[in-house]
Every structure is written in structure tokens, then in C-alpha cells.
Amino acid sequence: MKSLEECRAALDAADRQIVRLFEERMMIAREVAAYKIEHGLPVLDRSREEAVLQSRAGMLADPYWAPSVRELYECIMALSRAEQEKLLQAEKERS
């Protein structure tokens, strides 16, 4: 059995990866926003979001975590939409 300190160190290492990947994902969301602005598309695409939710749950090795992964991605996508909305609003104000 690992010690508490070892478990916490492993969590810290995992969190560093999660934070780096979150930042990368948010930068990509900005690119998506630029595309949507240029092509007059809405920020929210419910069918795409549902497909993402199902896909991410399908990536799990253990389906036990499916409800948690769904909740996680609902939150991540809400943050992405908020960022896209900010960029869309800034673009409208420039026009």
C-alpha cells in the first residue's frame, strides 16, 4: 500500500497533466470560436455536445465512471462556451 504522501504526489502529477491539457483545450475552444464567428455559427450546438458526452464516456476503461465523466465534460463544455461567448461579444463590440 502506498503512503498518503505517495498518493498525494501521484495526484499532484496527474493534476499537472490535467491543468496543462485543460489550458490546451481552452485555447482550441478559442480557435473554434474564431471559426464560428467567421461563419456566423452559434456557440451552442446541442447535438455536437451530446455526441461528445457519449464519446467521452465510451473512452473509459471502466464504465463505472461514465456519470462522472459526463458531469466533468458538461462542466468543461460550459467553460468553453463561456469563453466562446466572451470572444463573440468582443467581436460584436468591435463591429
Side-chain angles (χ1 to χ4, degrees):
M1 175 189 263
K2 291 182 182 179
S3 71
L4 180 58
E5 291 77 23
E6 290 171 320
C7 290
R8 287 179 174 167
L11 285 171
D12 289 346
D15 286 346
R16 276 190 291 281
Q17 292 178 24
I18 291 168
V19 168
R20 181 184 57 78
L21 291 171
F22 173 76
E23 190 171 26
E24 180 181 331
R25 193 180 197 289
M26 292 302 288
M27 295 304 292
I28 295 167
R30 287 180 173 179
E31 293 175 20
V32 169
Y35 182 92
K36 288 178 177 180
I37 289 167
E38 186 175 323
H39 293 88
L41 298 172
V43 168
L44 178 60
D45 181 344
R46 288 191 195 281
S47 63
R48 167 67 180 155
E49 287 199 6
E50 185 56 37
V52 168
L53 293 170
Q54 290 178 13
S55 168
R56 297 327 177 250
M59 293 176 182
L60 289 165
D62 184 348
Y64 170 83
W65 300 110
S68 297
V69 164
R70 184 176 183 91
E71 187 175 344
L72 172 65
Y73 272 88
E74 286 171 346
C75 182
I76 289 171
M77 289 188 295
L79 293 167
S80 294
R81 282 193 313 274
E83 182 64 21
Q84 290 180 30
E85 290 287 355
K86 281 192 269 185
L87 295 172
L88 182 64
Q89 187 59 38
E91 183 65 26
K92 286 180 181 179
E93 290 172 3
R94 278 194 284 267
S95 299

